[in-house]
Structure formats: structure tokens, C-alpha cells
Amino acid sequence: MRALGFVGTPCQVQGLRKLQALGRLLGRRLVERVELVVGLFCMGNWSYPCMAGFLEARGVAPEEVARMRISGDRVRVSARGMELEFPLGEMRKYVKMACRMCLDFTSELADISAGSTGSPEGWTTLIVRTPRGEEVLHGAEEAGLLELMEVGEAGVEELQRVARAKFERSLRRIQSRVEQGDEVPHHATRDLGSLEEALSRTEGRGFRELWRDIVVSGLCDACGACSAACSELEMRNGMPRLRGRCPQDCSLCYAACTRTALPLRALEEQLELGELRREHLGRYRRILAARATRGGGQDGGAVTALLKFSLNSGVVDEVVLTCRDEELKPRVLTAKREEELEGCAGTVYAASSPLPELRHRVRLST
Ligand SMILES: Cc1cc2nc3c(=O)[nH]c(=O)nc-3n(C[C@H](O)[C@H](O)[C@H](O)COP(=O)(O)OP(=O)(O)OC[C@H]3O[C@@H](n4cnc5c(N)ncnc54)[C@H](O)[C@@H]3O)c2cc1C
Ligand code: SF4
Ligand code: SF4
Ligand code: SF4
């Protein structure tokens, strides 16, 4: 079976980890042999039409954009050879509803997490969480692909401050929803001790209930875990859709969704996370800054360098990741060569649904 790597936002990483745990629990092959999970830091995301509409309203066609970057409270766009800058506040109001209730900034369930917060410009902050994360970081440095630097206590505190701000903002929104009588299950189930306990709350609910409870209620983050769990589903415009009819009365899609139940502590227990823990940063082994010695990237290009090492050294045979198409739309791609990884460097500020592709790769390789 081919070994896979994966890069994604915190919600996508949660979806992947829940699918892995669910597969183990049910004795089914869902997404096993994912050997490396790189999680990104994430403050929020947009649907493609919102992101494209934001740019068009400011006279920039998405296909003209060479690079887009959110830094502090500014959106920086390189287009037509010019550098344009807009206040992030103007874009923030279009952030997906699910992102406003998301509690994870640093991809707490990844092998290694990456973002710009905490490091100087041109560097990537890395949170190394598992032995696999350590192995790949060490290997990339040894191979001369990465330069490393301490971020120091000030960098870690900055990271924690930003993560806490996201958590508290989302928590306020969740609490006000709960006060209005709406459920927010991914928050209510965070501290449950086992996946079984979490799943007992989802029994007897199928796609019809998933659509009503998660999609219509605005909790869906478009990760695609439901669609990865059931071949009767597909992701269309960032939403799960039934291709035909539900062939059986089952609740696998409801069980797979991270928004119907997310026993974070139980999922953590299934990983070999480091013993260090800081509130809102999760468990880890070390935090440092990294920069690729060659090739570009959104920040330090460290994610692409780590993936290159993993591919070239045989840790993984292919990597499922998100890149942009000519119109700046997110496109899920399976990279098997270094050049494909390089073509996917950079951030696409629009939600993708990569988990069905990951599942597809697992099916192909078995
Ligand atoms: C929607 C979004 C919001 C983010 N918000 C923050 C933030 O608030 N603060 C912060 O510090 N960092 C944030 N990041 C992470 C940051 O933009 C960089 O991805 C990170 O610093 C790694 O930089 P790099 O140069 O090492 O990565 P690179 O070497 O450039 O690699 C980037 C990787 O990200 C993947 N990718 C790009 N777009 C997406 C996407 N939409 N979904 C899934 N994967 C994608 C690519 O496939 C590529 O493998 C965000 C990322 C995304 C996708
Ligand atoms: S739900 Fe939104 S904010 Fe949370 S990880 Fe996913 S894209 Fe980022
Ligand atoms: S058949 Fe598929 S879509 Fe229908 S309830 Fe089961 S998992 Fe969900
Ligand atoms: S409904 Fe499907 S796509 Fe939406 S959050 Fe749940 S698993 Fe992810």
C-alpha cells in the first residue's frame, strides 16, 4: 500500500484524524497509511466566490493575482506587477460561518504544524508534535533543504496570544448560539474520553440529519470527511451532496463529520504527541522557525521543503494537498514529484475539500 502525506487546515486535519480513529474502531480501511500530516495555522477561510468577489470589487481579477498574503490586519495582493493592500477588516466579514466557531488555530492534531505567526517575515514557525514530525524535520535539515532558528519565548507567546484570541472569539459566538437554543456539538463533545462515547450521540442519524444539523445550520467547514467515508456522497461547491439515494439506513457520514462530534482529547490520545502543552497550542515537542534553502513559499517555504524531503526519502510516496488553479480557485492535487510540490507552494485563501481525494488514493493503492 502506498504511503501518503497530507497538508491541510486544522479542520481538515481533524477530519482526517477522526476518519483514522473511526476506521480503527469499525475495522474498516478509511484513510490508513497516511504517514505524514502537516497542519497549517488558520484564522479563517473564505468560500471561493466570496474571495473572488472581494478582489473583483477592488478592481482585481482573480486570474491576475500572482500572490496573496494576509499579514497582521492587511491583505497584500501582487497583481499586474503592482503591490496592492487592503484592510483585512473588509474581507473578514465574508469569513465562512464555520470558521467563526472554530477553536483550533494551530492544527493541534498534526505531526507538524506551520504558520507565519511567531516568526520574522520570510520564516515559517513550526510546531513539532510527533516522532514522525521530528524525523522529517531532522531529515530536511540534514539534507540541506531547511535552515532552522529558535523562535524564543517572545515568538511562542505571540503565537499563544493569537491562538487564544481566536479561541475566545469563537467561544463567545458558540455560547451565544447555545443561549439561543442551537447545538454546537464539536464544542460540547471536546472533552469526552472516547470516540465511542462521542458516537453514541450520533446514532441513528444519517445524511438527511447531517444536512439539517451541520450544513444548513452553518457549521460545515467543507472538509469532506463525510464524503470520504461514503462513496454515495460527493462534494459540490464546498457542500456534501448525495449522488443518488441513500442505499441503506446507516449513519457513517454523520459519525465521520467532525462537526457532529469531536472528542479532541480522545483523538489526541491516539497520537504520539509530545509531553509539552500550552493552552491553545496543544501538545508538542518543540517550536522553532524554519526557512527553505531553495525554492519559494508563502512564508519560509518550510512546508514545501518538508514535503520534498518526505517524498525524496520515501517516507511518503505521494502527497495530497491544495494548490491554486489559474483563476485562484483551490484545487486538490496528488503530488508525486518535487516539481508538483513546488507548484503548490503558497496559500490559497479559499476552502478546499481534500479528504475525498485522500480516501480515493487509499482505495487505489489497496
Ligand atoms: C486559509 C488559510 C489561512 C491561514 N491563516 C494563517 C494565519 O492566520 N496565521 C498564520 O500564521 N498562518 C496562516 N496560514 C498558514 C500560512 O499561510 C502558510 O501556509 C504557512 O505559514 C506555511 O508557509 P510556508 O511558506 O512554509 O508554506 P509553503 O511552502 O508555501 O506551502 C504551503 C502549503 O499550504 C497548502 N495550502 C495552500 N492553500 C491551502 C488551502 N486553502 N487549504 C489547505 N492547504 C493549503 C499548499 O498545498 C502547500 O503545501 C493560513 C493558511 C491557510 C490555507
Ligand atoms: S474551520 Fe475555518 S478557521 Fe477553522 S481550520 Fe477550517 S478553515 Fe480554518
Ligand atoms: S449511505 Fe452514505 S450518505 Fe447515506 S447515511 Fe450512510 S453514509 Fe450517509
Ligand atoms: S458535513 Fe461533511 S464537509 Fe461538512 S464539516 Fe461535516 S464532514 Fe466536513
Side-chain angles (χ1 to χ4, degrees):
M1 202 196 301
R2 295 174 76 76
L4 301 175
F6 179 74
V7 184
T9 53
C11 56
Q12 295 167 357
V13 172
Q14 288 170 352
L16 164 56
R17 294 305 192 196
K18 192 171 176 195
L19 283 170
Q20 287 178 323
L22 190 62
R24 278 194 289 271
L25 187 70
L26 303 177
R28 289 180 62 164
R29 305 172 83 85
L30 292 174
V31 286
E32 59 288 286
R33 285 236 65 191
V34 180
E35 295 291 339
L36 175 70
V37 178
V38 180
L40 304 172
F41 300 175
C42 182
M43 193 51 94
N45 211 348
W46 291 265
S47 67
Y48 176 75
C50 281
M51 191 264 290
F54 171 86
L55 291 169
E56 277 159 3
R58 281 148 192 86
V60 184
E63 57 271 24
E64 293 172 335
V65 174
R67 187 165 191 260
M68 190 165 166
R69 185 160 196 272
I70 295 178
S71 173
D73 59 358
R74 313 293 294 170
V75 184
R76 299 202 168 99
V77 177
S78 312
R80 302 189 296 261
M82 292 186 297
E83 296 297 321
L84 307 163
E85 223 180 277
F86 312 106
L88 178 59
E90 291 177 14
M91 200 170 164
R92 203 168 259 148
K93 56 181 179 253
Y94 301 112
V95 165
K96 283 164 70 70
M97 173 97 84
C99 300
R100 297 167 191 261
M101 287 174 277
C102 171
L103 298 159
D104 185 357
F105 175 63
T106 60
S107 288
E108 293 183 30
L109 300 178
D111 289 308
I112 190 162
S113 305
S116 60
T117 309
S119 285
E121 190 150 348
W123 291 77
T124 307
T125 302
L126 296 178
I127 306 180
V128 186
R129 300 186 185 278
T130 65
R132 177 46 57 83
E134 278 286 9
E135 176 196 333
V136 168
L137 179 75
H138 180 69
E141 188 194 16
E142 288 275 289
L145 292 168
L146 268 188
E147 189 185 339
L148 306 183
M149 175 176 89
E150 294 300 320
V151 289
E153 186 54 27
V156 178
E157 276 177 11
E158 165 69 359
L159 183 55
Q160 195 173 19
R161 187 190 62 73
V162 173
R164 181 183 299 116
K166 173 177 173 177
F167 183 91
E168 289 176 351
R169 201 164 50 228
S170 294
L171 191 61
R172 282 197 294 279
R173 191 168 289 266
I174 288 171
Q175 282 164 346
S176 88
R177 244 178 110 110
V178 171
E179 278 160 21
Q180 287 161 20
D182 291 328
E183 286 186 20
V184 184
H186 70 271
H187 175 250
T189 53
R190 263 170 84 83
D191 294 323
L192 293 182
S194 71
L195 182 60
E196 290 93 319
E197 200 183 339
L199 294 185
S200 67
R201 300 178 177 215
T202 67
E203 266 167 31
R205 298 186 208 179
F207 183 68
R208 201 177 350 167
E209 290 79 13
L210 185 73
W211 181 261
R212 180 196 65 201
D213 299 348
I214 305 301
V215 182
V216 174
S217 72
L219 291 173
C220 174
D221 55 34
C223 69
C226 52
S227 172
C230 176
S231 54
E232 293 304 317
L233 292 178
E234 63 182 354
M235 295 301 291
R236 241 183 279 153
N237 300 324
M239 285 181 278
R241 294 290 189 166
L242 206 51
R243 287 179 214 267
R245 288 164 60 86
C246 261
Q248 49 182 300
D249 184 19
C250 87
S251 56
L252 190 59
C253 54
Y254 205 96
C257 173
T258 54
R259 291 322 188 224
T260 59
L262 185 66
L264 198 61
R265 303 293 159 237
L267 294 178
E268 273 185 358
E269 289 311 313
Q270 308 216 348
L271 305 170
E272 285 184 80
L273 297 170
E275 290 305 315
L276 300 174
R277 177 193 278 283
R278 285 205 191 206
E279 211 179 354
H280 311 306
L281 300 187
R283 281 173 53 189
Y284 61 94
R285 286 155 198 265
R286 55 187 173 132
I287 301 178
L288 69 166
R291 175 165 78 177
T293 51
R294 51 180 191 272
Q298 184 71 9
D299 295 303
V303 170
T304 303
L306 291 167
L307 298 175
K308 278 185 196 170
F309 170 76
S310 309
L311 205 54
N312 295 340
S313 64
V315 171
V316 300
D317 299 304
E318 47 194 34
V319 183
V320 172
L321 75 184
T322 298
C323 54
R324 59 168 283 185
D325 73 1
E326 281 169 9
E327 292 178 319
L328 208 59
K329 271 195 191 119
R331 187 165 65 92
V332 177
L333 184 109
T334 301
K336 300 191 188 73
R337 290 177 293 114
E338 212 176 294
E339 308 83 76
E340 290 172 314
L341 294 175
E342 281 168 0
C344 289
T347 297
V348 193
Y349 289 102
S352 63
S353 303
L355 295 176
E357 171 65 11
L358 198 66
R359 171 84 171 108
H360 178 61
R361 303 310 304 176
V362 170
R363 281 207 190 97
L364 282 184
S365 70
T366 50

